[in-house]
Every structure is written in structure tokens, then in C-alpha cells.
Amino acid sequence: MPAKPLFVAALLSVAAAPTALAAPSIALAGRATVMKDLSACRSIADPTARLDCYDKATDALEQAEAKGDVVVVDRAQARAARRQAFGFNLSALSVFDRALANDEVNSLTATVADAYRNADDRWIVVLDSGARWRQIDDETLSRPPHPGSRVKIRHGALGSYVMNIDGQPYIKVHRDD
């Protein structure tokens, strides 16, 4: 069985974050320098020099990972991060898109940890993952959600989300956190 592929993502510095959100194709384009340096070792013909290059490049990669400048994740970790972020608009942080191109998360099934009405008499549903979803329409539910209720959330029209609680009709929701 072949080894799982690893994906390397360069983290944005705090100073670069506003630029990344405004122009993600510039901020996230290409590979991290430490990965480019590692790949460049392949082109060295002399075996001793090539090994020396690999040793230095892998050391630099490990140091960058230890400092948090580079993060190495496998496909399962990238998938878990994408599922946890379901409902948020993270288009500026598309670093995992190549890794998960055929693994789009279009819906989420979860269990309710808490549910209550807000001041507008709309439902706030907290999932077992900690994700908080707020009802944004005026639809009523025949049975209130409660801890243990099963929910399914999927994409709705025009970038919205809808939630089905225990098989009832869908309500429109927005993820708050």
C-alpha cells in the first residue's frame, strides 16, 4: 500500500493576513520556499553534493515546521479541517483545494449538543463539534431541537445553508462560530 501523501502549507504571518484575504492568488501561490529548496536538490548530479543538499533542506523544513512557519498535514487531517470549517466562507484560505479537489464537503450530519431561542425567537443550535448555527428565517418547527437531535446541514440557494432537524422541514441557517 503506498504511503499517504503529505501536504505542506505555508502559514501566513499576521502582517500578511490582510493581503491574503484581499488577494489569495498572490499570497498563496506556489510552494513554500523550504519545499522548493528540497525539490531543487533532485537536480544535483553529484551524489555526495545531492545528499548534502537533502540533509540541509530537510533540516530547514523540520525547523520551519517546529517554528510553525510550515504545517505538514495528510489528506485525513485536511479533510477533518474542511469538515470542521463547514459553513464558513474560507475561500481566501484555499490551500487545501488541490488536496481535496474530489472531496468537497457539501453537507454535514451531526448531533445537537444544545438548542435555545434567541431574542428574535429564532433557534440557536450548537452541534457536538461546538459549531453554532443560527436560524435566519421565520419557519416554525413542530418539534423543538434538543440535545441528541440529529441534524443535516447542506448548501442552499445563493450560498446559503439549510438545516434539517430530526427529519422536519428545512430551516435556513447561518454559521456563527
Side-chain angles (χ1 to χ4, degrees):
M1 177 178 218
K4 288 184 179 179
L6 293 178
F7 302 96
V8 179
L11 291 178
L12 299 171
S13 68
V14 175
T19 305
L21 295 175
S25 61
I26 294 170
L28 297 177
R31 301 171 84 189
T33 302
V34 290
M35 284 302 296
K36 289 178 187 176
D37 294 345
L38 180 64
S39 294
C41 295
R42 215 179 293 151
S43 64
I44 298 173
D46 177 55
T48 304
R50 185 171 54 251
L51 180 59
D52 184 52
C53 179
Y54 275 125
D55 286 345
K56 289 177 182 172
T58 55
D59 184 50
L61 179 59
E62 287 177 355
Q63 287 179 22
E65 184 181 26
K67 290 190 308 187
D69 293 337
V70 170
V71 176
V72 179
V73 298
D74 63 25
R75 186 180 304 274
Q77 291 169 311
R79 185 180 300 120
R82 179 63 71 75
R83 287 190 61 79
Q84 187 174 0
F86 182 80
F88 286 130
N89 179 5
L90 300 177
S91 58
L93 301 177
S94 61
V95 69
F96 296 129
D97 285 352
R98 184 174 47 129
L100 302 174
N102 297 322
D103 198 22
E104 180 74 24
V105 176
N106 292 311
S107 67
L108 175 70
T109 302
T111 303
V112 173
D114 192 17
Y116 55 91
R117 292 183 183 263
N118 65 10
D120 295 331
D121 204 33
R122 293 182 178 163
W123 286 103
I124 304 294
V125 177
V126 181
L127 304 181
D128 53 355
S129 65
R132 183 179 312 272
W133 291 82
R134 176 176 37 89
Q135 180 183 8
I136 59 173
D137 65 11
D138 293 322
E139 296 298 318
T140 58
L141 297 171
S142 60
R143 295 180 317 275
H146 56 84
S149 290
R150 297 293 296 163
V151 299
K152 180 175 182 178
I153 304 168
R154 65 174 175 81
H155 291 281
L158 302 172
S160 67
Y161 292 90
V162 293
M163 177 186 286
N164 169 279
I165 304 170
D166 289 331
Q168 299 182 71
Y170 281 94
I171 59 172
K172 291 181 183 176
V173 292
H174 175 79
R175 180 157 179 193
D176 287 335
D177 66 355

